[in-house]
Amino acid sequence: MLTITFTVEDVARTRLAISPLWEIVASIRLLRTPRAHQFHRRWAETTRVRISQPGTDLGLLFDLVDPHVWYSADFLTPPPRSPVPDLTAELATLRRVSPDQVRADLDVLAYARTHPVGSLKDAALPKRLKRAKAADLPSSAVAELYADPEAGVDRLAGELAAYWEVAIAPQWGRIRALLEGDLLYRGRRLGQAGPAGLFEDLAEAVRWRDGALHIRHRRFNGTRELAGEGLLLTPSAFVWPTVYSSTIPPWQPTVTYPARGIATLWTDTSVDAPAGLVGVLGRSRAELLAQLDVPRSTTELAARTGMSAGGVSQQLGVLRDGGLVTAHRVGRFVLYARTSVAESLLGAPESSGG
């Protein structure tokens, strides 16, 4: 069990963000854990074919991400600086990680590979571990990274970008929409019910009690006092049914949890607006309301409806003036969501003729 304790300041500093690098790491862990493919089988099958093509070198990256070890090197997923960063920004942050920190994280990785169960106390000691031996690291490529972190991180950044292009980028639009919708939902929950509302349905393994967050981990335990650092929450499309935590100093404590709606991520659903609503609002506006089963951006709505982005924006403006949709900025994007009035209209039974 991992326990994260909060002060009032920590609650105020708790923030939400999307992390493309976390999606890469989580998706690789999923690829290497076949039993976890319940919702991602087609994506996994397609991705395996793509990354096996000649000329695709991902050896160092895959050596570093091992689902059978309780620790993944934290420098792979530095905390995002903005709510919705792109991969380029996150790779730039990765390249700024100091060589000493890269080695320190690899020391922990070597320790984790030889200790099936870990504790925060052991992993966070200032002089926590002896210098990692090459034999304790996953591969000769990782040993080379340890010996020359600057060159190794440069190679790693190239592999991360290559994996992104073949595995994540083709589906990033729908993945990002899922993650952004979760950010909007969590923000609302925090505003409506405070920390209890934010954390209560985060995941089965997570509980908020007495001012502390309790996370069930099978192979890691300890107590992390935030002491003013705040907590970073990152939704992921690929971590279900587990929760990842990164709490070893000096990194900002982070919890990566399953985004809402994962079961429908790869489902292409056709949503029909009720005929009665079409008669009142017109087909375009009624169809837009029907498509807002989750918060979506103008671009995504245009792609789903076949309307132009300008046409979508115009119709959303009318719906917003009528109190049927609300707009919420998430990073650089604006997401539109149905109001309770719109939900009532969509849920109203169709009248029968007679």
Side-chain angles (χ1 to χ4, degrees):
M1 177 74 73
L2 174 67
T3 300
I4 302 175
T5 64
F6 290 69
T7 64
V8 173
E9 184 178 5
D10 290 310
V11 173
R13 289 193 172 189
T14 292
R15 63 189 181 99
L16 294 142
I18 291 170
S19 171
L21 285 179
W22 258 118
E23 292 308 277
I24 290 175
V25 170
S27 67
I28 292 173
R29 290 178 68 94
L30 183 143
L31 282 175
R32 300 188 66 182
T33 312
R35 62 181 172 76
H37 291 170
Q38 180 174 345
F39 299 134
H40 302 285
R41 189 174 303 280
R42 283 191 301 168
W43 171 87
E45 292 171 352
T46 300
T47 299
R48 282 205 183 93
V49 172
R50 287 175 174 168
I51 64 178
S52 65
Q53 297 302 309
T56 304
D57 180 10
L58 304 172
L60 175 58
L61 175 58
F62 271 65
D63 288 343
L64 285 169
V65 182
D66 185 350
H68 305 295
V69 178
W70 53 262
Y71 175 76
S72 290
D74 286 328
F75 72 86
L76 271 173
T77 52
R81 296 169 178 263
S82 64
V84 191
D86 57 25
L87 181 66
T88 301
E90 290 214 295
L91 288 177
T93 302
L94 171 65
R95 292 179 188 275
R96 289 193 292 268
V97 177
S98 72
D100 286 345
Q101 188 59 55
V102 172
R103 289 195 180 101
D105 288 356
L106 292 178
D107 286 340
V108 181
L109 179 60
Y111 173 83
R113 284 170 52 80
T114 56
H115 293 75
V117 177
S119 74
L120 184 60
K121 180 180 178 181
D122 290 339
L125 289 172
K127 301 284 187 181
R128 57 182 174 264
L129 305 164
K130 297 179 180 179
R131 183 180 173 89
K133 299 177 182 178
D136 294 332
L137 293 170
S139 67
S140 60
V142 178
E144 291 171 7
L145 168 64
Y146 193 100
D148 188 351
E150 291 184 354
V153 167
D154 188 62
R155 172 185 170 182
L156 185 60
E159 292 188 11
L160 285 161
Y163 177 85
W164 175 269
E165 286 303 314
V166 298
I168 306 295
Q171 305 294 343
W172 182 235
R174 70 167 69 203
I175 293 172
R176 190 184 67 196
L178 178 79
L179 302 181
E180 289 172 348
D182 190 274
L183 293 189
L184 179 57
Y185 171 82
R186 295 291 160 199
R188 283 176 171 173
R189 294 294 296 151
L190 180 61
Q192 292 168 348
L198 176 63
F199 296 127
E200 67 182 0
D201 62 346
L202 207 64
E204 284 294 323
V206 178
R207 291 290 181 271
W208 172 263
R209 294 196 307 271
D210 302 323
L213 196 64
H214 305 271
I215 305 173
R216 279 198 320 273
H217 285 308
R218 290 188 300 112
R219 296 179 290 171
F220 191 74
N221 62 80
T223 298
R224 180 66 154 92
E225 297 177 357
L226 295 182
E229 296 169 277
L231 182 67
L232 172 63
L233 294 171
T234 57
S236 173
F238 294 101
V239 302
W240 185 93
T242 60
V243 173
Y244 298 165
S245 60
S246 174
T247 52
I248 300 172
W251 300 102
Q252 181 182 14
T254 302
V255 172
T256 303
Y257 62 92
R260 289 165 53 85
I262 289 173
T264 61
L265 175 61
W266 308 114
T267 303
D268 293 314
T269 56
S270 177
V271 182
D272 295 323
L277 194 59
V278 171
V280 174
L281 297 178
R283 180 162 300 280
S284 294
R285 293 168 195 163
E287 185 176 356
L288 287 173
L289 276 187
Q291 293 291 344
L292 288 173
D293 52 325
V294 297
R296 304 186 192 277
S297 67
T298 300
T299 301
E300 188 182 3
L301 287 168
R304 292 176 70 90
T305 62
M307 299 169 59
S308 69
V312 169
S313 182
Q314 182 180 15
Q315 299 297 350
L316 287 172
V318 174
L319 291 171
R320 187 177 180 183
D321 290 343
L324 298 180
V325 302
T326 55
H328 307 265
R329 179 166 292 280
V330 179
R332 295 173 297 160
F333 303 94
V334 175
L335 298 182
Y336 292 86
R338 296 191 298 229
T339 65
S340 58
V341 175
E343 296 287 356
S344 299
L345 289 175
L346 285 163
E350 294 280 351
S351 60
S352 58

